[in-house]
Each structure stands twice: as structure tokens, then as C-alpha cells.
Amino acid sequence: MDGRLISWLACVLSVIVVSSAENATTVAPPTTLNPALNETGICRKCNCQDNKVDCFDQSISEFFSLQEWNDLKGLKPTVVDLSENLITNVTVIGDLPIQVLNLSRCSIEFIENASFRDLQEMTTLDLSHNKLTSDRLSPHAFEGRFSPEEYEPLAAMRKLSLAHNELHSLHQDLFEHLPELTELDLSGNPLATIDHVTLIAISSLPMLKVLRMRSCQLTEIPDKFLHTPRYLERLDISDNQLTAVPQELEETKNLLYLNLNQNPIVNGSPRLRKLQELHMCNMRELRSIESGALAGLENLQRLHVSFNHKLTFIDPRALARPDDIGETYDWPTVKELYLQSNNLSELDARFLPRWDLLEAVDVSNNPFLCDCSTQWMVDVLVPVIEAKHANATANMVCNEPIEMRGYTMKHLNDIHRTMRCVDKYGHRPEKDGAMLLGTLIGVLLAVPIMLTLMLLWRHGYFGWLGLRGPVDVSRAFYKRAPADESFNI
Ligand SMILES: *[C@@H]1O[C@H](CO)[C@@H](O)[C@H](O)[C@H]1NC(C)=O
Ligand SMILES: *[C@@H]1O[C@H](CO)[C@@H](O)[C@H](O)[C@H]1NC(C)=O
Ligand SMILES: *[C@@H]1O[C@H](CO)[C@@H](O)[C@H](O)[C@H]1NC(C)=O
Ligand SMILES: *[C@@H]1O[C@H](CO)[C@@H](O)[C@H](O)[C@H]1NC(C)=O
Ligand SMILES: *[C@@H]1O[C@H](CO)[C@@H](O)[C@H](O)[C@H]1NC(C)=O
Ligand SMILES: *[C@@H]1O[C@H](CO)[C@@H](O)[C@H](O)[C@H]1NC(C)=O
Ligand SMILES: *[C@@H]1O[C@H](CO)[C@@H](O)[C@H](O)[C@H]1NC(C)=O
């Protein structure tokens, strides 16, 4: 009995040992996590995994202390997401290899001096959607470590977002510790005018490549504003109060992308030789694009001119620039063209030299006049668009003349419809028939009436009106000048 019990126990024990050993190997952490990590405040509140600390929307109301940050060292965090919390004050963060720090949507009002001093590997700092004000956001917030070459830089910093805060103006030295910044987002701040100090702040960023100033209530772009950032490639000044294309844009010699959407721009022609992408949508005052207006854009590839409800005319030569000899025209090689939802009644075939070279095109939802001037759209453009995307022309619909209203250009193409011409006086062909009939009836009625009147007049019926009949006239004539007498003189 004893022997069997012992062997049974041994068997059970070995099973337990084996299974617990199995569990031990499977439970062993895959990364070299610090066992003490779970004890620190940060990973209790957030999700710590790999090199990411995810504290998104955890109702955190107090910023972590320096000690708590320092306890995180074993994790070697490179991405820390603290967005969507209730932190009002940012304080100093420990020496950590963080590259991306997200402090978006935290109601932040104040950033203590040199809070990011020890984040020497930080490239991206998102401070968007907070409550930073011009008065309280100090240049010292971005102070780095002492460096013999530069003034206490945060040397790795490339992307900074201050979008959607309450900045009326920027401190002129705000970026003095961020000398290598390439991307800056100031969108959604009530700047209204770019004052002198703001201009100095932006001018202190020589490496800037991307600048976003959407919805900043700007009424103008001052001179010299874009003079220093010589490498600027992308500029978004949409949803402002600009009434003309800013002259200052010509200072940006390397601009590739320009967004002017939602500005009440009436006119102006940007001359940006390298520009590849232009957005001019939702511009409520744009009525026409005149000859040569876009001719300065020699390298344009993507043109977005949509949702301009008053845009009624685009000159056939809007993109064409006279060549060097002045004998013919050159066009940019446009690859994408978006002209949907404007008020265009026609699109001239000469606007582009080769429609079949477009990679993407949308001209739908315009009140097209379907006559001989737009026949090319039915014959040429519809097949080009349909070849890229079936049914993409579904919203290319005739609005005029009245008997064509509602037909899609695709349908007209399917039935090989040849459309008549509306003459240059604006007469519509469908009215010509009615006019002809009217004229005919007029003539038919006029002849008998005239004959009757002639007869009555001949017989002197209009004497009471002071009109003599032809009888009196001929009598007087014969009395005064007999033909034979005058001949003899
Ligand atoms: C081994 O892990 C499983 C779940 O993964 C668990 O159900 C089981 O109790 C563990 N066994 C031991 C001996 O820890
Ligand atoms: C941390 O705690 C979780 C559960 O809260 C546990 O599964 C994990 O093994 C712990 N990690 C370390 C390194 O202690
Ligand atoms: C935030 O900092 C300001 C200025 O240092 C201080 O007056 C305020 O009490 C701090 N608020 C919190 C919640 O710590
Ligand atoms: C920061 O978080 C917000 C919201 O969670 C997100 O929209 C934004 O893209 C993040 N920023 C960065 C730089 O990842
Ligand atoms: C921040 O630093 C500046 C300059 O060193 C100093 O004048 C200012 O008092 C400091 N602010 C705080 C809140 O410590
Ligand atoms: C659209 O164009 C037509 C003429 O083609 C014009 O009568 C109308 O007023 C324009 N609509 C707007 C909103 O400008
Ligand atoms: C295009 O429209 C036709 C009829 O409206 C439909 O039968 C066809 O499936 C559509 N094709 C695509 C790719 O959506």
C-alpha cells in the first residue's frame, strides 16, 4: 500500500511540477520588463506594452511626478500617449528615450520651465486642443540642456503642434530652443493678425518645411513672413479671411503644396514655379478664373477647385503660359483635376492639352449646358473618366437647354447624341422654331392689313388726318413741271 501511495504521490507531484514548469515558461515575459514596473503609478494607470505607454482617456487629472517618470526607465518608453485627460499643469519629465509625446486634449494651461529638458530624443510633441494662452506659454517651457553650440536646445525636436489653443500672438523667442523644427501647426488659434513678434517667432525657424495655419482668422499675410523658412514645402492657410492670393507667397521658392480653401479670395494669381498641389475649394467669392491666372504654376500636378458655388467661368487659357518664343503655349502636366460642384455651365476642351493623361478627374455636379460646345465632354471626357472608374460620370448631368435637362452625359454618349449649337446671342435652338412660326404668322397677317391700308389711303380716306391721297400729289406734279418743257431749256 505505502509503496503504491508513494509512487502515486510521486506521479502526481511530477505532473504538477511539469505543468507548473510549463506555465512558468509560457508566462515568462517576452521582453526584458522590469519586475518592479507594475508597482509604479504610471503603468498601474496606463497600459504599458513594448515601448509604448498608453494613457489615452484615463481621467488622469494630475501630471506624473518626476519620481513616477523615473520609475519608468526600465521600460525604455519611446511613445507616450497622454491625450484626452484632465491635466492642467505639465511638470518636468525624467530622462527617458521618449520620441513621441502626445499631450493633446488635456486642458493644459501651463507648462513649467524646462519640462522636456531631459527628453533629448523627442521628435514629436503634440500640445493641440489645450488651453495655452499667449501670456502663459513661455519660451522657457521648451528649454533643453546646456549645449556649447546652441542655446539649450531640444535638439531632436522636429514636429510641434500648438493647434487649437488660445494663442493670440507668439512670444518672439518661443522657438529659440527648437532650432531644427520642420513642422509647426498653429491652426485654430485666434491670431487674427500676424503681429511683429509672431513674425519674428516664425522667422526663427530656418528649417521649417510644413506650416499649418488653418482657421486663424487671418486677414492678410504680412511682408517678410515667409522669407526665412526657405525650405517651406507645405503651407495650409485655409479657412481664413484672405480676400486675395497673398503676394508674400512668392517668397516661398520651394513650396510644393498650398491650401487656400475657405478664404473669400476674389482674385490673384500665385506664381509658384515648383508648386505641385493647389487647393482652392469652398471659396465663396470666387466667380471666375481668368486667362493666365494659374499659368505661373509650371509644375502643377494636382488641382482642386471644387465647391465654389459662384464659380461660373474658367478661361480656356487659365493654365496655359506662352512659350519662350511666344508662338504657342505650354501647360503643366496635370495628373489630378477636381472641379466638382461649381457653377460651371461648360468646360473648355482647351483647358488641358491632353485629357487622357489625367490619372484622376472629377467634374460632376455642375449645371452643364449640353450643346455643341460641350459635345467634346460627351465624346471624349466621358469615356476617359469611365475608363478609370465605372459610373464615375453618374453626376455629370445636363442642366440646360431645357429639353436636355436631367440627361447624363454618359447617356448621351451611349446613344451617340449630336447636340445642336446655342447661338452666340444666347438664343436657344429649341426656341428658334417658335420664333420662325411667330414671324410667319406676323408676315401673313401683315400683308392683307398693309394692302387694305394702301387702298384706303389711295382713295383719300386719310384726308382728315392731313394726308393727301396720291391723286392730289400727281396733279400738283404735272402742273408745275411738265416733262417736255424742262427738256427744251
Ligand atoms: C497554468 O496556466 C493555466 C492558464 O494558462 C491555468 O489554468 C493553470 O491553473 C496554470 N497551472 C499552474 C500549475 O499554474
Ligand atoms: C503586471 O501585472 C499584470 C496583472 O496586473 C501581470 O499579468 C503581469 O505579469 C505583471 N508584470 C510584471 C512584470 O510583474
Ligand atoms: C499649476 O501651476 C500654477 C502656476 O505654477 C499654479 O498656480 C497652480 O496651482 C497649478 N495647478 C495645479 C492643479 O497644480
Ligand atoms: C495624439 O492623440 C490625438 C487624440 O488621441 C490624436 O488625434 C493625434 O493624432 C495624436 N497625435 C500624434 C502626434 O500622434
Ligand atoms: C522660468 O525661467 C525664467 C528664466 O530662467 C525665470 O525668469 C522664471 O521665473 C521661471 N519661471 C518659473 C515659474 O520658474
Ligand atoms: C450660376 O450661373 C448662372 C449663369 O450661368 C447665374 O445666373 C447664377 O446666378 C450663378 N449662381 C451663382 C450662385 O453665382
Ligand atoms: C454602374 O451602374 C450600373 C447601373 O446603374 C450598375 O448595374 C453597375 O453595377 C454599376 N457599376 C459599378 C462598378 O458600380
Side-chain angles (χ1 to χ4, degrees):
M1 272 298 265
D2 279 354
R4 279 169 67 191
L5 181 66
I6 287 164
S7 68
W8 180 80
L9 273 174
C11 188
V12 168
L13 269 172
S14 72
V15 165
I16 288 170
V17 166
V18 164
S19 69
S20 66
E22 271 176 1
N23 273 15
T25 52
T26 53
V27 158
T31 53
T32 55
L33 275 181
N34 182 346
L37 258 185
N38 273 6
E39 306 310 314
T40 80
I42 293 182
C43 286
R44 244 199 329 266
K45 291 174 193 158
C46 312
N47 183 11
C48 298
Q49 213 171 19
D50 299 330
N51 298 109
K52 183 160 192 232
V53 177
D54 183 1
C55 309
F56 171 77
D57 196 9
Q58 295 297 317
S59 309
I60 296 165
S61 58
E62 204 155 328
F63 202 65
F64 302 130
S65 69
L66 185 56
Q67 183 58 47
E68 285 177 303
W69 285 112
N70 281 333
D71 288 343
L72 215 53
K73 276 190 180 151
L75 187 69
K76 297 192 168 58
T78 54
V79 178
V80 175
D81 185 357
L82 269 163
S83 61
E84 202 82 52
N85 283 295
L86 303 161
I87 303 157
T88 50
N89 286 8
V90 172
T91 54
V92 177
I93 301 172
D95 188 351
L96 293 167
I98 296 173
Q99 291 166 11
V100 179
L101 178 58
N102 197 338
L103 293 170
S104 175
R105 299 180 189 272
C106 284
S107 314
I108 295 169
E109 290 170 13
F110 182 68
I111 303 174
E112 212 168 74
N113 277 1
S115 287
F116 314 110
R117 180 190 59 209
D118 293 325
L119 303 181
Q120 287 295 313
E121 288 169 49
M122 181 164 70
T123 61
T124 307
L125 175 59
D126 192 341
L127 285 166
S128 60
H129 296 275
N130 282 303
K131 294 184 176 161
L132 298 170
T133 59
S134 309
D135 293 339
R136 303 201 63 200
L137 179 61
S138 142
H140 299 295
F142 302 115
E143 222 170 73
R145 282 183 192 154
F146 174 78
S147 144
E149 296 92 35
E150 278 168 308
Y151 184 56
E152 299 172 328
L154 285 177
M157 270 295 288
R158 296 292 181 274
K159 300 182 189 175
L160 173 65
S161 177
L162 292 169
H164 301 280
N165 279 284
E166 292 161 20
L167 304 169
H168 291 277
S169 167
L170 303 181
H171 191 290
Q172 64 178 39
D173 298 327
L174 189 61
F175 306 120
E176 69 181 347
H177 304 294
L178 309 170
E180 303 285 326
L181 209 63
T182 56
E183 270 192 57
L184 176 62
D185 196 343
L186 294 170
S187 298
N189 282 292
L191 292 174
T193 51
I194 297 176
D195 56 20
H196 190 62
V197 282
T198 306
L199 193 145
I200 293 175
I202 303 283
S203 296
S204 70
L205 294 170
M207 307 309 283
L208 203 61
K209 280 190 176 161
V210 181
L211 178 58
R212 296 196 186 88
M213 297 183 80
R214 177 176 164 76
S215 312
C216 288
Q217 305 169 14
L218 301 177
T219 51
E220 60 168 4
I221 303 292
D223 287 351
K224 304 273 188 285
F225 180 61
L226 298 168
H227 188 73
T228 312
R230 286 170 43 224
Y231 305 106
L232 196 68
E233 289 177 0
R234 295 175 74 85
L235 178 63
D236 183 351
I237 44 175
S238 57
D239 192 24
N240 283 299
Q241 302 300 323
L242 305 172
T243 53
V245 175
Q247 203 62 39
E248 179 63 10
L249 289 181
E250 297 191 11
E251 289 289 324
T252 63
K253 304 282 185 242
N254 293 296
L255 206 63
L256 303 178
Y257 169 99
L258 174 60
N259 192 333
L260 295 171
N261 290 351
Q262 289 168 277
N263 277 290
I265 288 176
V266 180
N267 56 32
S269 46
R271 209 159 294 279
L272 298 163
R273 236 166 30 80
K274 291 195 180 167
L275 198 75
Q276 293 176 356
E277 185 166 338
L278 176 63
H279 292 252
M280 303 205 316
C281 301
N282 279 302
M283 304 203 345
R284 61 178 190 271
E285 296 303 330
L286 190 67
R287 286 162 214 271
S288 68
I289 298 180
E290 300 297 335
S291 174
L294 305 174
L297 310 175
E298 295 177 28
N299 283 292
L300 194 67
Q301 294 178 7
R302 289 174 288 278
L303 180 60
H304 296 250
V305 181
S306 297
F307 307 103
N308 300 297
H309 299 299
K310 289 187 186 166
L311 180 61
T312 304
F313 174 72
I314 298 182
D315 193 280
R317 297 265 178 256
L319 274 172
R321 60 179 188 281
D323 71 353
D324 294 339
I325 322 169
E327 278 177 1
T328 168
Y329 287 94
D330 285 333
W331 280 263
T333 29
V334 177
K335 290 181 186 155
E336 294 176 20
L337 177 66
Y338 302 94
L339 295 171
Q340 71 264 39
S341 303
N342 292 306
N343 192 26
L344 298 171
S345 60
E346 63 178 300
L347 192 55
D348 198 293
R350 295 165 295 172
F351 182 65
L352 288 181
R354 287 280 300 274
W355 291 83
D356 56 327
L357 294 182
L358 285 171
E359 287 165 12
V361 51
D362 190 348
V363 299
S364 50
N365 293 317
N366 278 291
F368 287 120
L369 166 66
C370 288
D371 73 346
C372 60
S373 70
T374 47
Q375 181 79 40
W376 78 275
M377 295 179 71
V378 170
D379 296 344
V380 179
L381 192 57
V382 165
V384 163
I385 299 175
E386 284 286 322
K388 292 180 207 320
H389 292 290
N391 294 359
T393 61
N395 289 320
M396 284 171 66
V397 183
C398 304
N399 186 55
E400 277 191 292
I402 196 80
E403 84 270 15
M404 304 288 277
R405 181 169 291 175
Y407 283 112
T408 63
M409 290 192 166
K410 171 79 163 53
H411 173 74
L412 300 177
N413 177 280
D414 289 343
I415 63 170
H416 304 289
R417 175 71 179 255
T418 303
M419 298 184 292
R420 283 180 298 172
C421 289
V422 168
D423 73 29
K424 65 180 170 195
Y425 304 107
H427 295 150
R428 301 215 197 99
E430 82 278 5
K431 286 194 174 164
D432 289 356
M435 270 172 52
L436 213 64
L437 197 67
T439 314
L440 208 65
I441 292 170
V443 169
L444 286 177
L445 284 177
V447 169
I449 291 171
M450 283 299 287
L451 280 175
T452 316
L453 286 175
M454 280 286 284
L455 273 172
L456 292 176
W457 178 60
R458 264 180 173 280
H459 293 92
Y461 276 88
F462 294 118
W464 54 276
L465 273 176
L467 290 174
R468 289 186 298 170
V471 189
D472 301 341
V473 173
S474 54
R475 249 184 242 128
F477 180 73
Y478 289 124
K479 249 187 240 163
R480 254 196 283 131
D484 42 347
E485 276 177 33
S486 60
F487 191 70
N488 290 337
I489 288 165

